[in-house]
Amino acid sequence: MRKMFVAMLVVTSFFLPTAAMSADYPDKPIQLVVPYKPGGGSDVAARIFAQCLERTSLPEKVIVKNINGARGKTGEMEVKRSRPDGYTLLWQHQSLHIANVTGRSEYTYKDFTPVAMTAVNNAGIFVPKSLGVSNLKELMAKLKADPTSVPIGAAINGLSHFGLLSFLDKTDLNADNLKIVGMSGDKKRIIAMLQGNLKMSCVAVNAAKPYVESGDLVGIGILSEARDPGLPSVPTMKEQGYDSVLQTEYGTWAPKGLPDDIKAVLVKAWMEAAADPQCAKKMAVNSVNLISLEGAALDQYLDRSFSMYKHLAEKYGMGKQ
């Protein structure tokens, strides 16, 4: 009997701190882990959004912490292993899906607690002016006539690669005939296109915009549901008959087991920031659009999104080896 009482006391004392913290949450700053270097698209979006959260009902600040390494896995694991107390969160995009379907990680989005998805960054297919095409029809004709004459840049097994594959998946092009050159970084691929070493790439709209406006790059199609306000003259792929949509989608994740009352506090603040017009203006400067997705709708969206990435990885031989 005494042993049973001691065991019950230990179990009770284990859960008491979490319950106490839930009632007062948050009573200290919240850490938002960005699993990449400072200055990149993920980092910039996270820092702007963290500033937006200061205008919400959240009583404490959200502080961005960069933990770079292993293409995002180091930061992801830091959050995954943390206590589910709401003080360590992850700011991550679909690389969480890609890492799993390509065999870089053994865990999936289901090993975290999704808080909300609040921002998207549009990407598109762009070519250099020197290629001599001005629209998707002309590009498709060139790709079919001589695929190897159009070297395509992509970060292999990265977002830009899957953006390209999402487009190819809707066409009758044979990916095996295309010349895909591995190159990470939007800026590097843009410079390579300007130098003539690449003839096509999937890059973020905000990275391509100055070169489209100068006439050095041609926007072929935006991979989103609607045209990007930054390049309103460039049609979407859907407008041109190819139902290809792949945006960089920034979500916030907590360790598995986050208490419902703590999650409710976070969701409320994240939704308030996502609905803030001033926040929208700050994000728009960097071609990032705010969205509001949480709860069951977010769960369903994540399931569909993961299935799409899994399909692309399997179809194009990028799955687990």
Side-chain angles (χ1 to χ4, degrees), residues 43-77:
D43 179 64
V44 171
R47 291 182 184 279
I48 295 174
F49 196 77
Q51 293 175 1
C52 296
L53 288 167
E54 295 180 14
R55 294 168 48 83
T56 70
S57 58
L58 202 65
E60 294 285 344
K61 286 190 174 183
V62 173
I63 300 173
V64 173
K65 179 180 180 181
N66 298 90
I67 303 180
N68 183 47
R71 300 182 73 175
K73 187 173 182 178
T74 303
E76 291 169 357
M77 290 301 298

mmCIF file of all heavy atoms in Angstrom, residues 43-77:
data_model
loop_
_atom_site.group_PDB
_atom_site.id
_atom_site.type_symbol
_atom_site.label_atom_id
_atom_site.label_comp_id
_atom_site.label_asym_id
_atom_site.label_seq_id
_atom_site.Cartn_x
_atom_site.Cartn_y
_atom_site.Cartn_z
ATOM 1 N N ASP A 43 13.507 33.249 -42.103
ATOM 2 C CA ASP A 43 13.903 34.087 -40.971
ATOM 3 C C ASP A 43 13.210 35.442 -41.013
ATOM 4 O O ASP A 43 12.682 35.924 -39.999
ATOM 5 C CB ASP A 43 15.423 34.260 -40.977
ATOM 6 C CG ASP A 43 15.911 35.147 -39.850
ATOM 7 O OD1 ASP A 43 15.742 34.759 -38.673
ATOM 8 O OD2 ASP A 43 16.448 36.230 -40.138
ATOM 9 N N VAL A 44 13.206 36.068 -42.181
ATOM 10 C CA VAL A 44 12.585 37.394 -42.321
ATOM 11 C C VAL A 44 11.095 37.328 -42.006
ATOM 12 O O VAL A 44 10.563 38.155 -41.249
ATOM 13 C CB VAL A 44 12.812 37.953 -43.747
ATOM 14 C CG1 VAL A 44 11.982 39.216 -43.964
ATOM 15 C CG2 VAL A 44 14.292 38.250 -43.958
ATOM 16 N N ALA A 45 10.417 36.329 -42.562
ATOM 17 C CA ALA A 45 8.979 36.184 -42.322
ATOM 18 C C ALA A 45 8.694 35.937 -40.842
ATOM 19 O O ALA A 45 7.749 36.497 -40.272
ATOM 20 C CB ALA A 45 8.416 35.047 -43.165
ATOM 21 N N ALA A 46 9.511 35.114 -40.206
ATOM 22 C CA ALA A 46 9.320 34.808 -38.782
ATOM 23 C C ALA A 46 9.503 36.052 -37.926
ATOM 24 O O ALA A 46 8.737 36.291 -36.979
ATOM 25 C CB ALA A 46 10.289 33.715 -38.347
ATOM 26 N N ARG A 47 10.498 36.850 -38.226
ATOM 27 C CA ARG A 47 10.779 38.040 -37.418
ATOM 28 C C ARG A 47 9.681 39.103 -37.577
ATOM 29 O O ARG A 47 9.302 39.764 -36.603
ATOM 30 C CB ARG A 47 12.156 38.613 -37.776
ATOM 31 C CG ARG A 47 13.286 37.703 -37.340
ATOM 32 C CD ARG A 47 14.671 38.248 -37.626
ATOM 33 N NE ARG A 47 15.674 37.255 -37.253
ATOM 34 C CZ ARG A 47 16.118 37.056 -36.012
ATOM 35 N NH1 ARG A 47 15.664 37.817 -35.036
ATOM 36 N NH2 ARG A 47 17.017 36.133 -35.767
ATOM 37 N N ILE A 48 9.185 39.246 -38.778
ATOM 38 C CA ILE A 48 8.087 40.194 -38.978
ATOM 39 C C ILE A 48 6.852 39.715 -38.222
ATOM 40 O O ILE A 48 6.182 40.490 -37.539
ATOM 41 C CB ILE A 48 7.764 40.368 -40.473
ATOM 42 C CG1 ILE A 48 8.947 41.001 -41.205
ATOM 43 C CG2 ILE A 48 6.515 41.228 -40.645
ATOM 44 C CD1 ILE A 48 8.758 41.072 -42.710
ATOM 45 N N PHE A 49 6.554 38.422 -38.320
ATOM 46 C CA PHE A 49 5.370 37.896 -37.659
ATOM 47 C C PHE A 49 5.504 37.977 -36.144
ATOM 48 O O PHE A 49 4.524 38.250 -35.437
ATOM 49 C CB PHE A 49 5.099 36.454 -38.093
ATOM 50 C CG PHE A 49 3.712 35.990 -37.758
ATOM 51 C CD1 PHE A 49 2.629 36.404 -38.523
ATOM 52 C CD2 PHE A 49 3.473 35.162 -36.674
ATOM 53 C CE1 PHE A 49 1.334 36.002 -38.212
ATOM 54 C CE2 PHE A 49 2.191 34.748 -36.357
ATOM 55 C CZ PHE A 49 1.117 35.171 -37.123
ATOM 56 N N ALA A 50 6.708 37.762 -35.640
ATOM 57 C CA ALA A 50 6.935 37.876 -34.192
ATOM 58 C C ALA A 50 6.652 39.298 -33.722
ATOM 59 O O ALA A 50 6.088 39.505 -32.628
ATOM 60 C CB ALA A 50 8.370 37.473 -33.859
ATOM 61 N N GLN A 51 7.017 40.276 -34.531
ATOM 62 C CA GLN A 51 6.713 41.668 -34.194
ATOM 63 C C GLN A 51 5.201 41.911 -34.214
ATOM 64 O O GLN A 51 4.667 42.626 -33.373
ATOM 65 C CB GLN A 51 7.406 42.611 -35.179
ATOM 66 C CG GLN A 51 8.917 42.609 -35.068
ATOM 67 C CD GLN A 51 9.580 43.452 -36.146
ATOM 68 O OE1 GLN A 51 8.908 44.070 -36.984
ATOM 69 N NE2 GLN A 51 10.894 43.475 -36.162
ATOM 70 N N CYS A 52 4.533 41.288 -35.165
ATOM 71 C CA CYS A 52 3.077 41.427 -35.257
ATOM 72 C C CYS A 52 2.385 40.855 -34.021
ATOM 73 O O CYS A 52 1.341 41.360 -33.590
ATOM 74 C CB CYS A 52 2.559 40.718 -36.509
ATOM 75 S SG CYS A 52 3.128 41.422 -38.072
ATOM 76 N N LEU A 53 2.940 39.810 -33.453
ATOM 77 C CA LEU A 53 2.343 39.180 -32.282
ATOM 78 C C LEU A 53 2.342 40.103 -31.060
ATOM 79 O O LEU A 53 1.572 39.904 -30.128
ATOM 80 C CB LEU A 53 3.081 37.878 -31.954
ATOM 81 C CG LEU A 53 2.820 36.718 -32.930
ATOM 82 C CD1 LEU A 53 3.833 35.598 -32.708
ATOM 83 C CD2 LEU A 53 1.400 36.191 -32.763
ATOM 84 N N GLU A 54 3.202 41.108 -31.079
ATOM 85 C CA GLU A 54 3.250 42.061 -29.969
ATOM 86 C C GLU A 54 1.994 42.923 -29.928
ATOM 87 O O GLU A 54 1.696 43.547 -28.909
ATOM 88 C CB GLU A 54 4.498 42.943 -30.084
ATOM 89 C CG GLU A 54 5.803 42.171 -29.929
ATOM 90 C CD GLU A 54 7.020 43.062 -30.040
ATOM 91 O OE1 GLU A 54 6.861 44.305 -29.978
ATOM 92 O OE2 GLU A 54 8.137 42.530 -30.194
ATOM 93 N N ARG A 55 1.243 42.948 -31.016
ATOM 94 C CA ARG A 55 0.014 43.742 -31.083
ATOM 95 C C ARG A 55 -1.224 42.912 -30.748
ATOM 96 O O ARG A 55 -2.341 43.389 -30.867
ATOM 97 C CB ARG A 55 -0.134 44.327 -32.492
ATOM 98 C CG ARG A 55 0.929 45.343 -32.853
ATOM 99 C CD ARG A 55 0.925 45.668 -34.350
ATOM 100 N NE ARG A 55 -0.392 45.951 -34.860
ATOM 101 C CZ ARG A 55 -0.999 47.142 -34.769
ATOM 102 N NH1 ARG A 55 -0.379 48.145 -34.164
ATOM 103 N NH2 ARG A 55 -2.191 47.328 -35.292
ATOM 104 N N THR A 56 -1.015 41.673 -30.324
ATOM 105 C CA THR A 56 -2.127 40.779 -30.027
ATOM 106 C C THR A 56 -2.343 40.647 -28.520
ATOM 107 O O THR A 56 -1.713 41.343 -27.727
ATOM 108 C CB THR A 56 -1.859 39.379 -30.620
ATOM 109 O OG1 THR A 56 -0.793 38.756 -29.882
ATOM 110 C CG2 THR A 56 -1.477 39.470 -32.086
ATOM 111 N N SER A 57 -3.216 39.720 -28.147
ATOM 112 C CA SER A 57 -3.537 39.489 -26.736
ATOM 113 C C SER A 57 -2.444 38.736 -25.997
ATOM 114 O O SER A 57 -2.536 38.532 -24.780
ATOM 115 C CB SER A 57 -4.849 38.699 -26.635
ATOM 116 O OG SER A 57 -4.744 37.470 -27.342
ATOM 117 N N LEU A 58 -1.398 38.295 -26.705
ATOM 118 C CA LEU A 58 -0.313 37.562 -26.071
ATOM 119 C C LEU A 58 0.460 38.488 -25.133
ATOM 120 O O LEU A 58 0.988 39.512 -25.569
ATOM 121 C CB LEU A 58 0.620 36.994 -27.148
ATOM 122 C CG LEU A 58 1.498 35.799 -26.770
ATOM 123 C CD1 LEU A 58 0.632 34.583 -26.465
ATOM 124 C CD2 LEU A 58 2.457 35.488 -27.914
ATOM 125 N N PRO A 59 0.568 38.159 -23.840
ATOM 126 C CA PRO A 59 1.194 39.061 -22.873
ATOM 127 C C PRO A 59 2.718 39.057 -22.885
ATOM 128 O O PRO A 59 3.342 39.925 -22.268
ATOM 129 C CB PRO A 59 0.661 38.554 -21.529
ATOM 130 C CG PRO A 59 0.440 37.100 -21.742
ATOM 131 C CD PRO A 59 -0.028 36.977 -23.164
ATOM 132 N N GLU A 60 3.322 38.081 -23.545
ATOM 133 C CA GLU A 60 4.780 37.989 -23.578
ATOM 134 C C GLU A 60 5.288 38.078 -25.015
ATOM 135 O O GLU A 60 4.563 37.791 -25.961
ATOM 136 C CB GLU A 60 5.251 36.670 -22.957
ATOM 137 C CG GLU A 60 4.968 36.533 -21.472
ATOM 138 C CD GLU A 60 5.902 37.380 -20.616
ATOM 139 O OE1 GLU A 60 6.946 37.839 -21.123
ATOM 140 O OE2 GLU A 60 5.577 37.573 -19.419
ATOM 141 N N LYS A 61 6.552 38.448 -25.172
ATOM 142 C CA LYS A 61 7.146 38.542 -26.500
ATOM 143 C C LYS A 61 7.484 37.164 -27.063
ATOM 144 O O LYS A 61 7.700 36.209 -26.331
ATOM 145 C CB LYS A 61 8.425 39.390 -26.449
ATOM 146 C CG LYS A 61 8.178 40.877 -26.295
ATOM 147 C CD LYS A 61 9.468 41.639 -26.498
ATOM 148 C CE LYS A 61 9.209 43.147 -26.486
ATOM 149 N NZ LYS A 61 10.441 43.932 -26.764
ATOM 150 N N VAL A 62 7.519 37.111 -28.377
ATOM 151 C CA VAL A 62 7.976 35.918 -29.079
ATOM 152 C C VAL A 62 9.341 36.261 -29.674
ATOM 153 O O VAL A 62 9.482 37.203 -30.454
ATOM 154 C CB VAL A 62 6.999 35.502 -30.191
ATOM 155 C CG1 VAL A 62 7.578 34.356 -31.012
ATOM 156 C CG2 VAL A 62 5.666 35.092 -29.591
ATOM 157 N N ILE A 63 10.349 35.514 -29.276
ATOM 158 C CA ILE A 63 11.730 35.783 -29.675
ATOM 159 C C ILE A 63 12.191 34.735 -30.680
ATOM 160 O O ILE A 63 12.108 33.526 -30.422
ATOM 161 C CB ILE A 63 12.661 35.774 -28.455
ATOM 162 C CG1 ILE A 63 12.215 36.858 -27.460
ATOM 163 C CG2 ILE A 63 14.106 36.012 -28.873
ATOM 164 C CD1 ILE A 63 12.963 36.823 -26.153
ATOM 165 N N VAL A 64 12.672 35.193 -31.820
ATOM 166 C CA VAL A 64 13.148 34.285 -32.869
ATOM 167 C C VAL A 64 14.552 33.800 -32.545
ATOM 168 O O VAL A 64 15.434 34.577 -32.181
ATOM 169 C CB VAL A 64 13.136 34.981 -34.244
ATOM 170 C CG1 VAL A 64 13.786 34.087 -35.302
ATOM 171 C CG2 VAL A 64 11.707 35.324 -34.650
ATOM 172 N N LYS A 65 14.742 32.490 -32.683
ATOM 173 C CA LYS A 65 16.056 31.886 -32.461
ATOM 174 C C LYS A 65 16.412 31.043 -33.673
ATOM 175 O O LYS A 65 15.662 30.154 -34.064
ATOM 176 C CB LYS A 65 16.037 31.003 -31.205
ATOM 177 C CG LYS A 65 17.374 30.319 -30.926
ATOM 178 C CD LYS A 65 17.304 29.460 -29.674
ATOM 179 C CE LYS A 65 18.633 28.771 -29.386
ATOM 180 N NZ LYS A 65 18.553 27.925 -28.171
ATOM 181 N N ASN A 66 17.559 31.327 -34.282
ATOM 182 C CA ASN A 66 18.014 30.568 -35.448
ATOM 183 C C ASN A 66 18.855 29.378 -35.001
ATOM 184 O O ASN A 66 19.831 29.542 -34.265
ATOM 185 C CB ASN A 66 18.838 31.446 -36.379
ATOM 186 C CG ASN A 66 18.050 32.616 -36.930
ATOM 187 O OD1 ASN A 66 18.027 33.685 -36.331
ATOM 188 N ND2 ASN A 66 17.404 32.414 -38.055
ATOM 189 N N ILE A 67 18.451 28.187 -35.434
ATOM 190 C CA ILE A 67 19.229 26.969 -35.185
ATOM 191 C C ILE A 67 19.434 26.296 -36.533
ATOM 192 O O ILE A 67 18.602 25.520 -36.999
ATOM 193 C CB ILE A 67 18.518 26.018 -34.200
ATOM 194 C CG1 ILE A 67 18.230 26.732 -32.871
ATOM 195 C CG2 ILE A 67 19.371 24.777 -33.961
ATOM 196 C CD1 ILE A 67 17.527 25.861 -31.845
ATOM 197 N N ASN A 68 20.525 26.599 -37.181
ATOM 198 C CA ASN A 68 20.771 26.126 -38.537
ATOM 199 C C ASN A 68 21.462 24.765 -38.517
ATOM 200 O O ASN A 68 22.186 24.433 -37.581
ATOM 201 C CB ASN A 68 21.649 27.142 -39.281
ATOM 202 C CG ASN A 68 21.894 26.747 -40.721
ATOM 203 O OD1 ASN A 68 20.968 26.372 -41.434
ATOM 204 N ND2 ASN A 68 23.143 26.817 -41.150
ATOM 205 N N GLY A 69 21.229 23.993 -39.563
ATOM 206 C CA GLY A 69 21.940 22.726 -39.703
ATOM 207 C C GLY A 69 21.085 21.623 -40.294
ATOM 208 O O GLY A 69 19.885 21.558 -40.042
ATOM 209 N N ALA A 70 21.723 20.780 -41.104
ATOM 210 C CA ALA A 70 21.094 19.591 -41.690
ATOM 211 C C ALA A 70 19.820 19.935 -42.449
ATOM 212 O O ALA A 70 18.830 19.209 -42.379
ATOM 213 C CB ALA A 70 20.811 18.554 -40.606
ATOM 214 N N ARG A 71 19.843 21.054 -43.178
ATOM 215 C CA ARG A 71 18.715 21.484 -44.014
ATOM 216 C C ARG A 71 17.414 21.587 -43.209
ATOM 217 O O ARG A 71 16.344 21.265 -43.684
ATOM 218 C CB ARG A 71 18.538 20.535 -45.201
ATOM 219 C CG ARG A 71 19.747 20.464 -46.103
ATOM 220 C CD ARG A 71 19.538 19.559 -47.297
ATOM 221 N NE ARG A 71 18.637 20.163 -48.284
ATOM 222 C CZ ARG A 71 18.368 19.606 -49.464
ATOM 223 N NH1 ARG A 71 18.926 18.445 -49.797
ATOM 224 N NH2 ARG A 71 17.532 20.190 -50.298
ATOM 225 N N GLY A 72 17.545 22.049 -41.972
ATOM 226 C CA GLY A 72 16.379 22.285 -41.129
ATOM 227 C C GLY A 72 16.191 21.271 -40.027
ATOM 228 O O GLY A 72 15.504 21.532 -39.035
ATOM 229 N N LYS A 73 16.809 20.112 -40.164
ATOM 230 C CA LYS A 73 16.550 19.028 -39.205
ATOM 231 C C LYS A 73 17.055 19.346 -37.809
ATOM 232 O O LYS A 73 16.428 18.969 -36.811
ATOM 233 C CB LYS A 73 17.183 17.725 -39.705
ATOM 234 C CG LYS A 73 16.818 16.516 -38.855
ATOM 235 C CD LYS A 73 17.323 15.220 -39.457
ATOM 236 C CE LYS A 73 16.898 14.027 -38.609
ATOM 237 N NZ LYS A 73 17.346 12.737 -39.193
ATOM 238 N N THR A 74 18.175 20.064 -37.693
ATOM 239 C CA THR A 74 18.730 20.373 -36.374
ATOM 240 C C THR A 74 17.746 21.188 -35.550
ATOM 241 O O THR A 74 17.488 20.890 -34.379
ATOM 242 C CB THR A 74 20.066 21.134 -36.514
ATOM 243 O OG1 THR A 74 20.980 20.366 -37.301
ATOM 244 C CG2 THR A 74 20.679 21.398 -35.141
ATOM 245 N N GLY A 75 17.172 22.219 -36.157
ATOM 246 C CA GLY A 75 16.187 23.035 -35.455
ATOM 247 C C GLY A 75 14.904 22.289 -35.175
ATOM 248 O O GLY A 75 14.286 22.442 -34.110
ATOM 249 N N GLU A 76 14.482 21.476 -36.134
ATOM 250 C CA GLU A 76 13.263 20.681 -35.941
ATOM 251 C C GLU A 76 13.409 19.746 -34.749
ATOM 252 O O GLU A 76 12.501 19.625 -33.918
ATOM 253 C CB GLU A 76 12.972 19.870 -37.209
ATOM 254 C CG GLU A 76 12.557 20.714 -38.397
ATOM 255 C CD GLU A 76 12.525 19.926 -39.700
ATOM 256 O OE1 GLU A 76 12.877 18.721 -39.689
ATOM 257 O OE2 GLU A 76 12.172 20.512 -40.737
ATOM 258 N N MET A 77 14.555 19.079 -34.656
ATOM 259 C CA MET A 77 14.778 18.148 -33.556
ATOM 260 C C MET A 77 14.865 18.875 -32.219
ATOM 261 O O MET A 77 14.448 18.336 -31.191
ATOM 262 C CB MET A 77 16.057 17.342 -33.798
ATOM 263 C CG MET A 77 15.955 16.344 -34.942
ATOM 264 S SD MET A 77 14.631 15.124 -34.695
ATOM 265 C CE MET A 77 15.192 14.309 -33.205
#
